[in-house]
Amino acid sequence: MRRVEGRNRYFDEMWSETGEPRSSYRQLRGAMDELGDGVLEARHRLAQQLFLRQGITYLLYETETSVERTLPFDLIPRIIDGAEWTTLERGLIQRVYALNEFLKDIYGDQKIIADRIISREDVYSAPGYCLAMQGIQVPQRVHTVLSGVDVIRDQTGGYRVLEDNLRVPSGISYVFKNRTMMKRVFPEGFQSYHVTPLEPFLQRMAEAFAFCSPRKSAHPTVVLLTPGMYNSAYYDHSFLAQSLGIELVEGRDLTVVDRVVYMRTTEGLRRVDVIYRRIDDDWLDPLAFEKDSLIGVPGLFDAYRAGNVGLVNPWGNGVADDKWIYAFVPDFIRYYLGEEPILDNVETYLLGRKADREYVFSHLEQMVVKPTHASGGYGIVFGVQATKSERTLLQERIMADPRGFIAQPLIHLSRHPALCEGGTRPCPIDLRPFVVFGEEPRVLSGGLTRVALGKDSLVVNSSQGGGVKDTWIVQEWGDYERAESAGGIDLLDGALS
Amino acid sequence: MSAIYRVTHQTRYFYEGSARDLVNEVRLSPGDFPGQSVRSHRVVTDPVTSLHSTRDAFGNRVVTMYFRGALESLMIGADSVIAVSKAAPQESKLAPFSKETFADPAFRDQHFLYLMPTHLCQHAPALRDWICADWTESSDTLSFLQRVTEKVYRFFDYRPGSTSVETTTADLVALRAGVCQDYAHWMLSVLRMMGIPCRYVSGYLFSDQTEQGTAYVGAQAMHAWVDVLVGPDTWMGFDPTNCCRVGHQHIYVAVGRDYRDIAPIRGVFKGKQRSMTLDLKIREQGAVGVQ
């Protein structure tokens, strides 16, 4: 198994330029070689069977495609060394902190508009902007209690943020399940490293959720509000409710009376302090928002504005993870924190701007064009795949609604070996780390690595046959590797500008 | 011209069998606007319950109420005494915004909330075509607004029941009929498309029945009209349904971008509504300080 062609087109996570495994992967390679391809493949099949038997199906949405699918587990873990992770972690915390400042400001005094960093039109035009949140006191002033930030590595190995998910990010349960599976089916690999454990994050989540309680009681009642068992992320909901030791409820289990939220229990009504909601903004309260919602809780918004309940996350976060607003996030970091962004954005062209539009039109074959108002990846066009007439059609659509589109240069994602039919193949990957923000932001060690198993995938999300990998943050490599690492640091410098 | 009005508004809902778990959000509390001051105001319900008062993003007073038990009917009432004095002389002092101001990007962005398309006030090419020539031809903002008011009035047939609270301005292109909120939505859309900030007003219209001549349309229920930002912090009301400027017979209750922002009563409950009645009385308690 060697790294194959195309080394200039993408960054390879496991193999260095010289064809050697990167230092953080050496022990893994050793463990894999010791087992041999036959045993590895048998373990890989075992893992698939176990997932199936446990009824864990991976269904991710709110991604670039609207297609829900099961995500096969890939046995070969992704490894990120501790030093590199520390920088990534700092970048994520910086970003989430700035996004929270933005949300506080936008739903408050709007200083950033007065200071002309962003226009009112940019903000109010974002579909996720929630006017009703204007002026509302958010408990502890934390809007981004739980977020997932999608990170990719470009051709040079540099980490970049592709997308922020500040509404109801899903996928945490899969991170935990992948880890459990990994320990079970590939203990040799796992034991050859000191992998940072995931469990402390659950405690951080519980603390942060409790921190959102407007009522200062020692044991606030926290519930997870799910749309129900037919929701595609229901497994995620039930896993998290169980792991956090909180009730899993549906809209009909909650009621609001005189601006206070209660849970119906066999012993009568019990006051609810914090709701970890897995229902989208519009459907959360039929009184204040989408009136046809049957899954929401009538009066919840009234209870929230009265300051009687905490929400993870509150209404209106969609303005900050909007595709158009994304282009401004580096400016938010500079404006609110007075710092340079640690993690770069993917360069983004706002097609409502003439200069951007002209540039994109003349470089369309290198671009990915995304509609800003469509969700679920509807309407994304890869210039390189589009025919001449499709490109003309696209230009017409853009001209009809220029503010409805952004464009980004096509990025060849970093690749990582994955087990496929007849051996391993380098496949594009991304990473969704999770950040929980209570008294201070904390990052889950690792996150969800998604892998595109299709042959010619341009991005992980839009590919067919995507899978997931366990993600290891390794703290110590042992003596031999530690000596080697001095020379291996160049990876870091190249990766993080 | 000034007047003091007493408005008693009673909406009564009847349910099939009974309704449970009712939550209502009510915007029936007139606010203080230039030329309008609220002397007294009370919201009542039958059966009685706790009332919770708050303000929305537009500054309107919002009252919420919760009923857990079974109800066969529910009355929501609002009783207000409001003094209105819409003085005409203001106008002579007013230097209205010019076309250049409305076209200025900084001005546009400052007032974007009242320029953006909304769910009900959509910006459609047909509306642009409808208004464009009038805007080009006119040189004076106030006469343009008067002209648009008249044009909207002539364009629509007043036809109750032809539209619903969900009707958008895009729907109205073909319909050409509706009630006050449709007239208002249409006017809001066309003005916003020309860059003129304006807001939806829900309120009451006093119509003196004994007076000779025609009574106003919309006086039997809540009324709706359009407030236009004509100068710095200066809103001027236009009532396209009655083809007139807003005067001392118009009583402001709430303002927003469209009807959806400020629906007078929103409610959610378990059960089925059988019927609804509205009993609205607007009485003049005496004119004061005429000239």
Side-chain angles (χ1 to χ4, degrees), chain A residues 189-257:
Chain A
F190 189 78
Q191 281 156 11
S192 60
Y193 288 92
H194 292 291
V195 180
T196 313
L198 303 170
E199 286 70 22
F201 190 73
L202 291 172
Q203 183 59 31
R204 298 284 100 82
M205 279 176 85
E207 287 163 8
F209 291 6
F211 185 69
C212 296
S213 169
R215 206 163 55 130
K216 286 302 143 212
S217 72
H219 300 289
T221 300
V222 183
V223 299
L224 190 153
L225 175 62
T226 173
M229 63 182 293
Y230 298 109
N231 184 270
S232 56
Y234 188 70
Y235 179 77
D236 208 34
H237 306 165
S238 61
F239 174 89
L240 285 169
Q242 201 168 23
S243 306
L244 295 167
I246 61 179
E247 296 281 343
L248 180 64
V249 300
E250 294 182 27
R252 59 170 182 244
D253 301 321
L254 300 180
T255 185
V256 182
V257 183

Side-chain angles (χ1 to χ4, degrees), chain A residues 37-275:
Chain A
D37 286 355
V39 178
L40 270 182
E41 275 166 36
R43 300 271 183 93
H44 186 73
R45 281 196 300 274
L46 175 66
Q48 312 306 325
Q49 285 162 9
L50 287 172
F51 269 121
L52 219 64
R53 204 181 303 160
Q54 290 177 24
I56 301 165
T57 49
Y58 290 114
L59 293 160
L60 286 190
Y61 56 125
E62 65 169 71
T63 58
E64 296 293 340
T65 56
S66 56
V67 186
E68 296 174 3
R69 57 179 191 263
T70 59
L71 296 178
F73 172 75
D74 186 71
L75 189 67
I76 307 174
R78 176 197 203 155
I79 301 175
I80 302 174
D81 82 65
E84 192 176 308
W85 176 253
T86 302
T87 311
L88 195 50
E89 201 172 31
R90 277 179 44 230
L92 292 167
I93 287 173
Q94 180 195 50
R95 191 172 177 102
V96 169
Y97 198 87
L99 287 166
N100 190 58
E101 288 299 309
F102 172 67
L103 287 164
K104 275 159 66 178
D105 187 20
I106 278 309
Y107 292 119
D109 298 338
Q110 305 194 330
K111 292 199 179 81
I112 196 166
I113 293 174
D115 288 334
R116 310 257 175 134
I117 307 295
I118 193 165
S119 73
R120 203 168 259 106
E121 179 170 10
D122 288 328
V123 174
Y124 290 7
S125 300
Y129 172 73
C130 178
L131 181 65
M133 280 295 289
Q134 207 66 54
I136 286 180
Q137 277 297 321
V138 169
Q140 314 295 344
R141 308 208 68 200
V142 182
H143 293 254
T144 54
V145 186
L146 186 65
S147 28
V149 181
D150 292 348
V151 175
I152 57 168
R153 293 181 96 169
D154 63 20
Q155 290 90 324
T156 68
Y159 284 102
R160 287 171 186 271
V161 174
L162 183 64
E163 191 176 281
D164 304 287
N165 297 279
L166 307 175
R167 286 164 286 169
V168 280
S170 64
I172 295 175
S173 62
Y174 313 145
V175 177
F176 282 84
K177 282 291 156 186
N178 291 345
R179 178 63 50 84
T180 307
M181 186 59 71
M182 203 65 191
K183 286 179 179 170
R184 183 161 175 190
V185 300
F186 192 21
E188 300 87 348
F190 189 78
Q191 281 156 11
S192 60
Y193 288 92
H194 292 291
V195 180
T196 313
L198 303 170
E199 286 70 22
F201 190 73
L202 291 172
Q203 183 59 31
R204 298 284 100 82
M205 279 176 85
E207 287 163 8
F209 291 6
F211 185 69
C212 296
S213 169
R215 206 163 55 130
K216 286 302 143 212
S217 72
H219 300 289
T221 300
V222 183
V223 299
L224 190 153
L225 175 62
T226 173
M229 63 182 293
Y230 298 109
N231 184 270
S232 56
Y234 188 70
Y235 179 77
D236 208 34
H237 306 165
S238 61
F239 174 89
L240 285 169
Q242 201 168 23
S243 306
L244 295 167
I246 61 179
E247 296 281 343
L248 180 64
V249 300
E250 294 182 27
R252 59 170 182 244
D253 301 321
L254 300 180
T255 185
V256 182
V257 183
D258 289 336
R259 317 187 88 186
V260 174
V261 184
Y262 297 92
M263 171 170 47
R264 300 176 211 263
T265 74
T266 47
E267 289 117 44
L269 296 183
R270 182 170 155 205
R271 182 166 177 167
V272 171
D273 297 293
V274 178
I275 301 173

